[in-house]
Amino acid sequence: MTDALRPLARHWRLVALALSAAFGVFAALSGFARSPEQTLSAASAQLRRHPASGDVQIVEIDARSIAAIDRWPWPRRNYAALVDRLRRAGAASIAFDVDFSSHSDPQDDAAFAAALARPGIPVILPTFGQKAGGGRAGWTDSLPIPALREHAALAAVSILPDADGAVRRAPIATMTDGLPRPSLSAMIAGISGGAADSNFPVDYAIDPATIPRHSFIDIRDGQFDPAAIAGKRILIGATAIEMGDRYAVPNYGVIPGVVIQAIAAETLRAGVPREGGWVLPLLFALLCGWGILHLRRSEALFVAVVTAPLALFGLSVIARALLASRFPVVPGLVALTSLSAAAYIMRILVGARKRRFEDPATGLPNRHAMRGAVRANAGLGVVAARFAEYDKVASALGDRATVDLIHRVCERIAMITCGATVFRVEHRVLAWQCDDAEQLEIALSTLRALMLSPVEVAGRRVDVSLVYGFSPARANEDADGTIARALLAADQALALGQNWQVHHAEDDETVDRELSLLGELDEAIANHELDVYYQPKLCLKTNLITSVEALVRWNHPTRGPLRPDLFVPLAERNGRIAGLTLHVLERTISDLHAWNEQGHAMTAAVNLSAKLLNSATFLADLRHLIETSGIAPHVLTFEVTESAAMSDATEAAAALESFQAMGIAISIDDYGTGQSTLSYLKQLPLDELKIDRSFVQFAHQNRSDGVLVQSTINLAHELGLKVVAEGVEDPECMAFLRAAGCDMIQGYLISKAVPARELSALLERPVAVAVAA
């Protein structure tokens, strides 16, 4: 990380908060929030849905009334009769959403005017703006004819559709004929004093189906219950489809304009809705988001990320229901989303860093972490402490207890190093930093005395033996070099039977050679320069070569042929073994396809390093290779050494099952050289057992070897395992193994390891010829 980015990393929460606040403000000011806010407002109304009060009732000009009064416009005496009926029934007020701006029959106009003049209840007539006629641009204001205006109040019936055609807001007052006039809904609700062109959000939580309706013709003819009208505010307007006065609204589709006026009046009965603005929800969101950024547990983070937006929306719903206040929440939701994303991104980055810099088994900082520490403390050397008998101890204790053991050892190291950070740089190696060899010698003397006491773990007292290597700090030296030299010194101490070893300058050549060879190995793998040789396996029942063991070979361009024991362990120690194994698998699969096309149905075994048993990355790459190559997995076998499988049988079993589930067979290699028994091996998901050459080579001559091989074959067959004997060099040995019931053999008697093209030729010849060759 560069110096410029470090302050940003330290204060990432403040940066995330500031950016999220900016995103929220942008959403509020740019108009981006309009559409989602409308959607949320509709959802809020749906959640708060409730019936109308019944105080506002509609007298509808419906299809039945239009059919009964079979002409349009209706003679205005019908409206006069309606007003008289409603007055006698005791209506609180009468409002018309009907156009009376033009003259009709003089007698009808006079009759209607007389009805309006009669005392009793107030009557409201509409004014509105409309497009000027004759094709001229502009709008003109329409008012009732003068005769009707004299004894009626005037109110605006303008509708305010949004750009999408939906009506979400209604006016409180508008200018008509040069005068500010209350809207029809405001006058019905008794609201006055609104500024011209002011408006409010219509509350569509009010269910329009619950607004009481009466047919115009029934009221005109007196066919209604006066008690249903008494004290009510009556709104008269068209609901018939053929009248065309219809608009889209949220949640209810297209409804008549008069119904919108009624819902608007019902909205204002509870008071003019207050516009709370987006600032308060945004501040609430930022406060919640700040808390989210500090959550550490994944479960708590998930709950907070889900509930915080719901809480913000829920509060807006409650504010609308109880306080008649509308708070836009989309800016706050944008900020919350941004903060939640920042929290998850940082969690992912922290997790990735943790996986990169932390040993997954113990939680201790790993080799990557030590590289950073060495770079940061260039004046300090590196001490490597290698467990002398790690595999034996780990096999006896099991996974969990082994991890506890490592932590107990780290605690003892910390006691004599004044709390120095202890790194797990390899499976069997712990490391820390130290000033110089003289200081280290004193500390190691104390530590050796301390380690004489057994470590108590899982109720057991375990003796732990450590050997140490020290690499002093050097000017202009890279961290990998310092660590590698400490590891090499520890290896030398173990090999020489010493307690500790200091890496000297003359040892640099060995390290440099390994580092150089490692880089060349990377290039060889990337450029597919490594060869694969195959040692045949003979099926003793059919006398046919039916399988091979794939063995990697490296003919170095300048160093010449290199033995696998020079570069394979190097690949294992430095994290290259997965790439090397996949390279061998690719070549083996390609050659299997070629042999199959030649008519030879073959299987192949590939050696699998213990370091790959629990590698999720290798498993994923392997699965991809098999899927893309089209190979049948059952023609592949993974050979795992006995010591690798037995170091932790439980963990090995779980890992091997994942390969076996893909269809790959599992074989235990070098059986007999470790500490296991067949009864112990039955815990593992095995298909095959290979008896080590040290027991096979003289089994036909040495009675004890012969008894061991015979009993191993018998017990393996009892467990359902196929048996392969390796190191067969004599016909007499082959005859013994055939008689003992061994399934397959391999060795120089059949053939040494050969390139694929030579094996193809070998497969074409009878086995007897191959043996004689």
Side-chain angles (χ1 to χ4, degrees):
M1 182 181 295
T2 64
D3 293 339
L5 291 178
R6 284 196 177 91
L8 190 66
R10 286 197 299 269
H11 304 295
W12 69 272
R13 292 184 178 88
L14 290 174
V15 173
L17 190 72
L19 287 175
S20 300
F23 292 152
V25 172
F26 174 79
L29 300 180
S30 67
F32 162 80
R34 184 176 298 112
S35 180
E37 198 70 63
Q38 291 170 350
T39 302
L40 290 176
S41 180
S44 169
Q46 194 69 22
L47 290 173
R48 297 181 292 105
R49 192 167 180 172
H50 60 83
S53 68
D55 184 54
V56 178
Q57 300 191 6
I58 296 173
V59 173
E60 54 184 337
I61 301 174
D62 55 2
R64 189 160 63 88
S65 299
I66 291 174
I69 309 172
D70 193 17
R71 56 179 291 195
W72 188 262
W74 284 347
R76 287 180 177 160
R77 58 180 175 274
N78 292 286
Y79 299 112
L82 182 79
V83 169
D84 288 337
R85 292 284 189 186
L86 293 172
R87 184 181 286 113
R88 287 194 293 272
S93 65
I94 302 171
F96 281 91
D97 186 10
V98 179
D99 182 11
F100 297 120
S101 61
S102 58
H103 293 275
S104 67
D105 181 83
Q107 292 182 349
D108 286 334
D109 288 345
F112 188 28
L116 295 177
R118 284 188 276 273
I121 56 175
V123 178
I124 307 165
L125 297 183
T127 69
F128 57 92
Q130 64 179 359
K131 193 76 172 177
R136 292 175 299 169
W139 289 80
T140 184
D141 294 324
S142 296
L143 281 71
I145 60 175
L148 302 181
R149 275 184 254 163
E150 186 176 351
H151 300 290
L154 299 184
V157 292
S158 301
I159 294 293
L160 302 176
D162 288 336
D164 61 357
V167 177
R168 297 181 178 87
R169 304 182 70 86
I172 296 176
T174 59
M175 293 291 295
T176 56
D177 195 30
L179 296 174
R181 302 184 192 277
S183 66
L184 188 65
S185 55
M187 191 164 281
I188 292 172
I191 301 295
S192 60
D197 298 322
S198 59
N199 56 73
F200 65 95
V202 179
D203 187 5
Y204 287 108
I206 301 167
D207 187 351
T210 63
I211 298 175
R213 298 190 190 187
H214 309 275
S215 177
F216 185 100
I217 196 67
D218 288 341
I219 300 295
R220 188 201 69 174
D221 295 344
Q223 297 177 359
F224 68 99
D225 180 8
I229 297 295
K232 307 301 181 185
R233 307 175 194 207
I234 307 301
L235 176 59
I236 304 158
T239 61
I241 294 177
E242 52 268 40
M243 299 300 290
D245 184 27
R246 306 176 75 82
Y247 301 89
V249 298
N251 298 336
Y252 305 111
V254 177
I255 62 176
V258 67
V259 177
I260 297 175
Q261 297 284 5
I263 297 174
E266 285 275 356
T267 301
L268 291 176
R269 283 185 67 258
V272 179
R274 290 181 289 275
E275 301 283 359
W278 49 266
V279 174
L280 191 59
L282 178 58
L283 292 175
F284 175 82
L286 294 175
L287 181 63
C288 291
W290 185 248
I292 287 173
L293 294 179
H294 286 81
L295 293 175
R296 297 186 180 276
R297 295 181 56 194
S298 298
E299 299 84 354
L301 177 62
F302 175 78
V303 171
V305 166
V306 171
T307 57
L310 294 177
L312 179 59
F313 176 66
L315 289 173
S316 74
V317 173
I318 293 171
R320 189 70 185 268
L322 301 183
L323 305 176
S325 297
R326 177 178 175 271
F327 291 94
V329 297
V330 169
L333 292 176
V334 168
L336 263 179
T337 302
S338 174
L339 287 165
S340 299
Y344 269 108
I345 290 171
M346 185 55 64
R347 182 169 292 269
I348 290 170
L349 293 176
V350 169
R353 179 179 176 83
K354 184 177 181 181
R355 287 189 296 273
R356 177 172 172 79
F357 293 98
E358 185 177 287
D359 176 59
T362 62
L364 295 172
N366 62 11
R367 188 165 183 160
H368 292 294
M370 187 162 208
R371 287 195 192 105
V374 172
R375 294 188 188 107
N377 303 288
L380 300 180
V382 172
V383 185
R386 179 176 291 278
F387 287 82
E389 295 183 325
Y390 180 85
D391 289 344
K392 179 180 177 181
V393 173
S395 177
L397 290 179
D399 288 352
R400 184 171 298 178
T402 300
V403 169
D404 290 341
L405 175 70
I406 292 171
H407 281 289
R408 300 292 84 76
V409 172
C410 287
E411 290 170 1
R412 295 191 181 189
I413 293 173
M415 289 173 61
I416 61 97
T417 59
C418 300
T421 301
V422 180
F423 302 82
R424 194 185 190 195
V425 295
E426 283 190 4
H427 202 52
R428 301 168 179 81
V429 182
L430 301 173
W432 66 94
Q433 292 184 275
C434 180
D435 286 338
D436 54 51
E438 184 177 345
Q439 183 186 58
L440 176 64
E441 187 172 7
I442 298 171
L444 290 185
S445 297
T446 306
L447 183 58
R448 281 197 299 272
L450 196 60
M451 294 306 298
L452 290 176
S453 300
V455 179
E456 188 165 335
V457 58
R460 304 173 63 176
R461 293 170 62 82
V462 182
D463 289 316
V464 177
S465 177
L466 298 175
V467 295
Y468 309 93
F470 177 62
S471 175
R474 298 181 187 178
N476 302 320
E477 182 179 53
D478 67 298
D480 280 319
T482 304
I483 296 170
R485 279 183 262 276
L487 292 173
L488 180 60
D491 288 342
Q492 290 173 337
L494 183 62
L496 297 173
Q498 298 176 349
N499 289 321
W500 74 299
Q501 183 81 18
V502 178
H503 179 84
H504 298 288
E506 54 267 26
D507 299 323
D508 285 349
E509 184 179 348
T510 302
V511 176
D512 291 341
R513 183 173 63 251
E514 285 202 359
L515 291 176
S516 175
L517 191 62
L518 184 62
E520 293 165 356
L521 178 60
D522 288 338
E523 292 181 6
I525 294 173
N527 298 329
H528 302 281
E529 294 173 355
L530 300 177
D531 294 322
V532 178
Y533 279 43
Y534 301 96
Q535 184 164 29
K537 296 181 183 180
L538 178 70
C539 176
L540 292 177
K541 290 184 179 179
T542 63
N543 284 331
L544 296 175
I545 296 173
T546 58
S547 185
V548 293
E549 179 181 358
L551 301 169
V552 66
R553 295 289 186 265
W554 187 8
N555 188 13
H556 194 281
T558 58
R559 303 173 191 261
L562 296 178
R563 300 191 315 273
D565 62 348
L566 290 177
F567 63 87
V568 172
L570 184 66
E572 284 188 309
R573 289 197 303 270
N574 293 277
R576 270 66 167 188
I577 193 63
L580 180 59
T581 304
L582 288 168
H583 170 76
V584 173
L585 278 166
E586 288 176 5
R587 290 286 299 274
T588 302
I589 289 171
S590 175
D591 291 333
L592 283 170
H593 279 307
W595 294 326
N596 189 61
E597 291 175 359
Q598 296 167 12
H600 305 296
M602 300 285 290
T603 64
V606 176
N607 292 292
L608 187 69
S609 168
K611 289 184 176 291
L612 299 179
L613 287 181
N614 291 298
S615 173
T617 302
F618 174 75
L619 184 64
D621 291 340
L622 172 66
R623 183 176 287 110
H624 176 73
L625 174 61
I626 290 176
E627 289 174 352
T628 55
S629 68
I631 195 72
H634 70 267
V635 303
L636 295 175
T637 298
F638 277 160
E639 292 189 2
V640 183
T641 61
E642 180 186 358
S643 59
M646 287 299 100
S647 65
D648 189 337
T650 303
E651 183 175 324
L656 295 176
E657 282 172 0
S658 63
F659 298 120
Q660 202 175 59
M662 295 171 61
I664 299 173
I666 304 299
S667 174
I668 283 291
D669 195 10
D670 300 335
Y671 178 74
T673 60
Q675 303 295 321
S676 63
T677 65
L678 277 174
S679 61
Y680 195 34
L681 286 175
K682 71 180 182 181
Q683 300 178 30
L684 301 173
L686 302 178
D687 302 281
E688 179 183 284
L689 183 146
K690 289 187 71 176
I691 306 176
D692 187 70
R693 64 183 295 113
S694 62
F695 298 98
V696 171
Q697 197 168 15
F698 303 107
H700 60 293
Q701 298 173 343
N702 186 301
R703 184 178 180 278
S704 60
D705 284 351
V707 170
L708 187 148
V709 169
Q710 180 69 72
S711 61
T712 298
I713 292 172
N714 293 340
L715 288 172
H717 285 167
E718 286 293 324
L719 292 174
L721 304 180
K722 182 170 62 176
V723 180
V724 179
E726 58 182 350
V728 179
E729 299 180 357
D730 303 312
E732 294 81 7
C733 183
M734 180 175 71
F736 169 81
L737 292 168
R738 191 190 302 274
C742 186
D743 299 293
M744 303 186 79
I745 63 171
Q746 72 179 90
Y748 283 2
L749 180 65
I750 310 303
S751 173
K752 64 180 181 179
V754 295
R757 62 182 179 278
E758 293 185 27
L759 183 69
S760 297
L762 193 62
L763 295 175
E764 299 293 340
R765 302 185 315 197
V767 173
V769 176
V771 170

